[in-house]
Amino acid sequence: MIAQWSEGEDEPVKYWISNLPADIPARELVRLAKLRRPIEHDYRELKTTLALDHFEGPSFTGWHRPVTLVTAAQLFLTEQRTCPRVPAKA
């Protein structure tokens, strides 16, 4: 178990419980625990911006196609957001 204890607080403000091996470095454990926020952000973006929550399909094919397209669109948006812009030649 790890806990986040901010300065000025009387007790820890967040806790994480893990079943990872005991010999995992503390820095890696904290990094993995903090991944929750970006994952939640991406999921919220998939649902709202890319309309994943509008899906209604009774079969695997009906589910697989829109999820594949939404995943590809999410990858494109993430790449656009994280890649530095290269100035074009005049």
Side-chain angles (χ1 to χ4, degrees), residues 15 50 83 88-89:
Y15 297 91
L50 301 173
C83 289
K89 293 182 180 180

Side-chain angles (χ1 to χ4, degrees), residues 3-70:
Q4 179 179 337
W5 199 319
S6 301
E7 275 189 50
E9 296 292 332
D10 295 334
E11 58 186 41
V13 292
K14 292 184 180 178
Y15 297 91
W16 292 271
I17 296 175
S18 171
N19 62 353
L20 292 170
D23 62 345
I24 189 168
R27 182 177 294 264
E28 180 67 7
L29 189 59
V30 170
R31 186 188 74 79
L32 292 171
K34 296 281 185 160
L35 278 177
R36 180 178 172 195
R37 187 170 308 275
I39 291 170
E40 287 178 350
H41 173 268
D42 287 348
Y43 183 66
R44 185 175 38 245
E45 188 175 59
L46 284 168
K47 284 177 52 180
T48 57
T49 306
L50 301 173
L52 185 61
D53 59 346
H54 295 293
F55 155 74
E56 291 182 24
S59 67
F60 176 77
T61 304
W63 171 84
H64 188 265
R65 287 178 181 159
V67 168
T68 302
L69 293 172
V70 166

Side-chain angles (χ1 to χ4, degrees), residues 67-86:
V67 168
T68 302
L69 293 172
V70 166
T71 304
Q74 173 71 7
L75 175 62
F76 174 77
L77 290 176
T78 302
E79 285 291 320
Q80 291 295 308
R81 185 173 52 239
T82 59
C83 289
R85 304 280 176 171
V86 177

